[in-house]
Amino acid sequence: MTANNRQTFNANFSEEKYHSFLKLLGKGYPEITFRVAESPIFISADLKQKLIAAGEEIIALIKQDNFKELTQKAIPTEWKVPNENDHPHFLTFDFGLCKDEKGAISPMLIEMQGFPSLYGFQSHLAKNYKKAYELDSNLTPFFDGLNEESYFELLKKVIVGPHSPHEVVLMDIDAPNQKTAIDFFVTANKIGIKILSLEDIKKEGKQLFYTQGNEKIQIKRIYNRLIFDEIAGDTSVFDNSFDPREELEVEWITHPNWFYRISKYTMPFLNGQFVPETRFLNEVEAIPSDLENYVLKPLFSFAGMGVIIDVKESDITSIKDPENWILQRKVTYEPVVESPSGGVKAEIRLMYLWPEGEEPQLCINLARLSRGKMIGVRYNADFDWVGGTVGLMES
């Protein structure tokens, strides 16, 4: 982490500035319903290079010719969607910040997804941190020489593609009321697409439509933000709209199958200095004697639900479907971010865009601060200097 930026930020920090920042961040948008942290993370050049290297190791696996074969069982039969494309359009990799054996800050992989995250909001967040706290204009959340303008051009290229923006819709179950709705609105403002709830979309034959005024508009592409795990098998949500598992004349950005292919399921196939030991539970021949150093995770869960942190042997032996669980060596987060009341743990998400016919490109990041047992917002409700944030680097 960069000590000078941190020291300067903390010396000038005040609760009044934080509340002014939050007001500026939310101006013109619906209320932000998740906690945004008091501070960004300042990423050093050394940590930046480690993050890039860690991401490249994962990309190499995903680009293997046999990747689809390796991950065929990752997709639950009941949620398989037809017409899958060759690669995901979004990749997000979560890394906990730890100390390596030499005492240096190093990233360790926690989770990964072939699914979009807060691609619109993170740029908006970084810009408002810089403005509200009067940070150095040289600081950026972007990688690979991107700036706000070129980043949103690339995002539009990936999401809208050759279509007109009105033919492309951002879809979720109840989109305007999702916790991450501000991301939807920032994205729509920047690239011109429509935000629709599932029930706003109607099917005629194999085609999908929405109405705007008296006009019926065919949907050519769906920027999909619907996660099947969130509806917990309740397919009645499709009754007044359409079922994504049907044969449809629509393009998916990104195709729902990639949510499963690139996930906790992928981690046992990885190894390297930035990846903790991870095995499918049904392939664990002997239960480790040091279970306190492991965490047990269900393959099919959302936002950390079902994870067992303090694993006991009885937890393992009582599982009826071990093929749907992984046993992973715990990652020990280092409290690397210095707050006015002590060290805070941090996690950084690398966010890639993968345009059709091109290579995946590392673009921007998301970060989270935590004092709780787990990183997620629900585990940090009673603390300050926690929540969603962004990493800033010297450009």
Side-chain angles (χ1 to χ4, degrees):
M1 317 306 284
T2 52
N4 290 343
N5 282 316
R6 171 55 57 206
Q7 290 166 2
T8 301
F9 183 93
N10 287 13
N12 293 312
F13 175 79
S14 69
E15 286 294 325
E16 290 75 19
K17 285 184 179 180
Y18 174 53
H19 290 295
S20 295
F21 156 69
L22 291 178
K23 187 175 181 179
L24 187 64
L25 184 67
K27 187 177 181 181
Y29 290 105
E31 180 185 0
I32 300 173
T33 58
F34 56 89
R35 194 178 200 283
V36 178
E38 284 82 345
S39 169
I41 293 177
F42 299 105
I43 298 175
S44 69
D46 177 65
L47 178 58
K48 176 182 175 180
Q49 291 308 312
K50 288 177 179 176
L51 286 164
I52 292 170
E56 287 176 350
E57 286 183 1
I58 304 169
I59 296 286
L61 172 72
I62 295 169
K63 290 180 67 178
Q64 285 182 189
D65 291 340
N66 67 338
F67 184 73
K68 280 196 173 185
E69 182 183 344
L70 281 177
T71 57
Q72 197 57 36
K73 293 180 181 178
I75 309 165
T77 305
E78 67 272 23
W79 290 116
K80 202 162 191 177
V81 174
N83 301 318
E84 183 183 321
N85 62 327
D86 291 337
H87 63 74
H89 301 91
F90 305 90
L91 294 167
T92 64
F93 307 147
D94 291 353
F95 295 91
L97 298 187
C98 312
K99 274 190 176 178
D100 63 20
E101 63 278 359
K102 296 179 182 177
I105 302 303
S106 188
M108 286 296 286
L109 183 65
I110 303 298
E111 202 155 320
M112 53 200 292
Q113 287 184 339
F115 189 81
S117 184
L118 305 181
Y119 279 80
F121 179 67
Q122 287 308 111
S123 175
H124 176 72
L125 178 61
K127 181 169 68 175
N128 282 285
Y129 269 127
K130 290 174 67 176
K131 184 176 181 179
Y133 290 108
E134 300 179 319
L135 301 180
D136 189 339
S137 61
N138 194 43
L139 293 171
T140 179
F142 300 108
F143 294 87
D144 204 23
L146 290 170
N147 56 31
E148 183 180 15
E149 182 180 0
S150 60
Y151 170 68
F152 278 107
E153 285 176 359
L154 180 59
L155 188 65
K156 185 173 183 178
K157 176 182 177 180
V158 169
I159 294 175
V160 178
H163 304 289
S164 297
H166 72 278
E167 297 174 320
V168 182
V169 303
L170 184 158
M171 181 196 74
D172 206 334
I173 295 174
D174 182 15
N177 296 309
Q178 289 287 334
K179 286 190 73 173
T180 54
I182 188 170
D183 175 66
F184 301 172
F185 287 104
V186 171
T187 302
N189 284 348
K190 286 290 188 179
I191 67 176
I193 62 176
K194 191 83 171 175
I195 301 169
L196 294 181
S197 296
L198 183 64
E199 63 181 14
D200 296 326
I201 300 174
K202 305 302 176 186
K203 184 169 78 80
E204 295 182 15
K206 293 184 178 181
Q207 296 180 335
L208 302 177
F209 297 87
Y210 71 95
T211 55
Q212 186 167 285
N214 295 321
E215 185 180 4
K216 185 171 71 173
I217 300 169
Q218 184 182 350
I219 298 168
K220 303 290 183 66
R221 245 184 201 188
I222 294 174
Y223 175 35
N224 181 44
R225 301 301 297 269
L226 188 157
I227 297 175
F228 293 149
D229 285 7
E230 285 190 295
I231 63 179
D234 180 14
T235 57
S236 66
V237 297
F238 303 139
D239 291 349
N240 296 318
S241 182
F242 74 100
D243 191 326
R245 297 166 296 181
E246 297 177 355
E247 192 75 35
L248 300 165
E249 293 178 10
V250 71
E251 298 172 7
W252 292 97
I253 305 295
T254 194
H255 194 283
N257 290 354
W258 288 105
F259 175 81
Y260 294 105
R261 288 192 184 277
I262 299 171
S263 64
K264 290 187 286 287
Y265 189 94
T266 321
M267 292 188 65
F269 301 109
L270 289 162
N271 57 67
Q273 70 177 107
F274 305 114
V275 182
E277 173 199 339
T278 307
R279 290 178 286 171
F280 292 111
L281 189 58
N282 64 323
E283 296 180 1
V284 174
E285 295 179 358
I287 295 176
S289 58
D290 59 338
L291 273 180
E292 68 275 9
N293 294 321
Y294 288 83
V295 61
L296 196 56
K297 297 181 178 181
L299 289 176
F300 308 112
S301 69
F302 180 67
M305 301 300 288
V307 173
I308 301 173
I309 301 247
D310 300 311
V311 185
K312 301 186 293 293
E313 187 169 337
S314 58
D315 294 321
I316 294 175
T317 56
S318 65
I319 289 175
K320 301 293 191 289
D321 57 341
E323 69 279 5
N324 291 326
W325 291 74
I326 56 171
L327 187 65
Q328 185 179 88
R329 183 166 282 279
K330 279 182 180 176
V331 170
T332 303
Y333 289 74
E334 187 70 17
V336 295
V337 176
E338 190 63 36
S339 81
S341 55
V344 181
K345 295 177 286 187
E347 191 170 280
I348 294 177
R349 172 176 294 175
L350 299 183
M351 299 163 63
Y352 297 75
L353 291 170
W354 195 342
E356 292 288 348
E358 299 183 28
E359 292 295 309
Q361 183 174 345
L362 176 57
C363 296
I364 196 167
N365 74 88
L366 177 154
R368 289 180 286 193
L369 299 181
S370 171
R371 297 179 191 265
K373 205 164 191 178
M374 290 178 68
I375 286 284
V377 172
R378 64 167 58 90
Y379 306 102
N380 287 274
D382 300 323
F383 302 106
D384 63 358
W385 279 66
V386 298
T389 183
V390 67
L392 297 178
M393 303 162 283
E394 293 186 358
S395 57

